[in-house]
Amino acid sequence: MNQTESLVTEIQKVIVGKEEVIQNVLMAILARGHILLEDIPGVGKTTLALAFSKVLGMDYKRIQFTPDVIPSDVVGFTVYDKKTDSFIYKPGAVMCNLLLADEINRTSSKTQAALLEVMEEGSVTVDGKTYPVPQPFTVLSTQNPFGSAGTQMLPQSQLDRFMVKLSMGYPDFDSQVNILRDRQNEQPLDSLRQAASKEDIVNMQQEVARVTVKDNILRYITTLVENTRKHELIQLGVSPRGALAINNMAKAAAYVSGREYVIPEDIVRIFTNVCAHRVILHPRAKVANTTAEEIMEEIVKETKAAEVA
């Protein structure tokens, strides 16, 4: 069992029946990406973030977004210290390794933008001074797809900052029984052991970056991306940033599979999770009751890697 398999196995002690979701979150972390979890309340999003922070040895913070949360809550602020006659930086919630940004769609656009800026830049600027965030750094944001009262949905340019959008969904019957059984007398989170350190994660991120992507794979990615831009039911296709996200996530998929090179199956595995939230559908798609996920699956199915190569 390699290290990534042991990490997934450990987290499965708490997150039951969701191996694919766990693997996708781990791959996004190793690809230095951020995760958007769009799901109903109560399916384990917070537990998932806590489990990853414990198993990966990452400093963890959670911020519950509400309309009164302001940018300084996220990035921090400076206060005047009379003793030293200088301003002292007071860190915000982002100064950690793993930030759970709960219900990001319930705060103002200005606060959303403050979070998404640090996601892109890896640092915050407060009163003219720049402060880097700790490494590794990952944001796991959640939003509830049901109910729009009091919400401020992320614009497309900001959704594009998330490497993947995932959904946990309800557990199956047996998994639900196991969840109930495991929580009769104790909290499974308490039994988790740390299986990696922050240094291990940074080293694995560097190893992922060195995974080989040959030209035929690059042409396959580009063809898939262009097909999203040409599709009759898509108004806005995948951006160049999205193409890079496919490349980086595929490297992580190869690494988790124990390979030092990307194959077409890695692209197929991650394409929908990386791309579905990056496109804007034509109104005809909504009339036809067709989702972005279904269109992405169709594009992958119809675009053969062998033909591109």
Side-chain angles (χ1 to χ4, degrees):
M1 180 183 294
N2 63 34
Q3 188 167 16
T4 58
E5 289 176 339
S6 65
L7 295 175
V8 171
T9 300
E10 189 67 22
I11 292 169
Q12 283 182 298
K13 293 178 180 178
V14 174
I15 306 299
V16 181
K18 299 295 178 183
E19 181 177 0
E20 189 65 25
V21 173
I22 295 170
Q23 289 182 341
N24 273 282
V25 172
L26 178 60
M27 288 189 294
I29 291 172
L30 296 182
R32 294 188 174 95
H34 306 287
I35 304 107
L36 179 63
L37 276 178
E38 185 173 86
D39 225 323
I40 57 175
V43 293
K45 299 185 293 292
T46 303
T47 304
L48 177 69
L50 277 168
F52 265 95
S53 68
K54 291 191 73 170
V55 173
L56 303 186
M58 301 168 82
D59 296 329
Y60 164 85
K61 287 184 182 177
R62 176 177 180 263
I63 183 167
Q64 179 67 51
F65 281 111
T66 55
D68 58 346
V69 174
I70 59 177
S72 61
D73 295 328
V74 176
V75 301
F77 56 92
T78 57
V79 294
Y80 180 69
D81 185 355
K82 288 195 295 184
K83 291 182 179 179
T84 60
D85 191 27
S86 62
F87 286 91
I88 298 175
Y89 172 62
K90 298 292 184 181
V94 296
M95 289 299 171
C96 63
N97 300 120
L98 180 62
L99 175 66
L100 175 61
D102 232 347
E103 295 192 276
I104 191 174
N105 56 326
R106 293 202 174 274
T107 194
S108 68
S109 298
K110 191 172 184 179
T111 304
Q112 289 174 353
L115 175 63
L116 293 159
E117 180 183 1
V118 68
M119 287 165 55
E120 185 75 9
E121 304 296 335
S123 61
V124 298
T125 300
V126 179
D127 293 338
K129 285 191 175 183
T130 300
Y131 305 91
V133 294
Q135 293 299 321
F137 175 69
T138 298
V139 173
L140 198 159
S141 287
T142 72
Q143 63 179 13
N144 183 354
F146 297 100
S148 58
T151 63
Q152 182 73 40
M153 299 306 291
L154 292 171
Q156 199 65 28
S157 60
Q158 295 182 346
L159 279 174
D160 207 25
R161 306 289 177 91
F162 290 97
M163 181 165 282
V164 291
K165 186 180 84 168
L166 305 172
S167 176
M168 295 183 70
Y170 291 120
D172 58 35
F173 187 90
D174 290 337
S175 296
Q176 181 67 78
V177 172
N178 289 333
I179 289 169
L180 294 172
R181 182 187 299 115
D182 293 344
R183 286 159 176 77
Q184 289 297 316
N185 300 310
E186 60 182 21
Q187 170 55 258
L189 274 171
D190 297 335
S191 65
L192 287 182
R193 64 177 183 85
Q194 182 178 331
S197 66
K198 289 178 278 191
E199 292 75 17
D200 291 332
I201 301 304
V202 170
N203 289 336
M204 284 191 280
Q205 288 176 338
Q206 293 170 349
E207 290 171 358
V208 166
R210 291 193 292 267
V211 170
T212 301
V213 186
K214 293 186 176 179
D215 280 357
N216 65 313
I217 299 295
L218 297 178
R219 287 194 292 271
Y220 182 40
I221 293 172
T222 302
T223 302
L224 286 167
V225 167
E226 287 193 341
N227 286 346
T228 70
R229 299 168 186 170
K230 297 174 183 175
H231 198 282
E232 61 179 7
L233 295 181
I234 297 177
Q235 280 187 326
L236 182 68
V238 174
S239 68
R241 181 190 283 129
L244 286 169
I246 297 170
N247 179 82
N248 295 337
M249 190 70 173
K251 284 184 172 186
Y255 181 82
V256 167
S257 299
R259 278 181 280 101
E260 297 179 355
Y261 54 90
V262 174
I263 60 176
E265 285 76 6
D266 297 320
I267 309 294
V268 173
R269 178 181 180 183
I270 57 91
F271 183 75
T272 299
N273 289 333
V274 173
C275 295
H277 65 289
R278 301 176 189 273
V279 301
I280 295 179
L281 300 184
H282 194 280
R284 291 198 304 273
K286 298 175 184 176
V287 172
N289 200 28
T290 302
T291 66
E293 287 77 10
E294 289 170 341
I295 295 174
M296 295 304 107
E297 296 289 349
E298 172 197 322
I299 289 172
V300 165
K301 187 175 180 181
E302 294 181 355
T303 307
K304 303 300 182 184
E307 295 173 4
V308 174

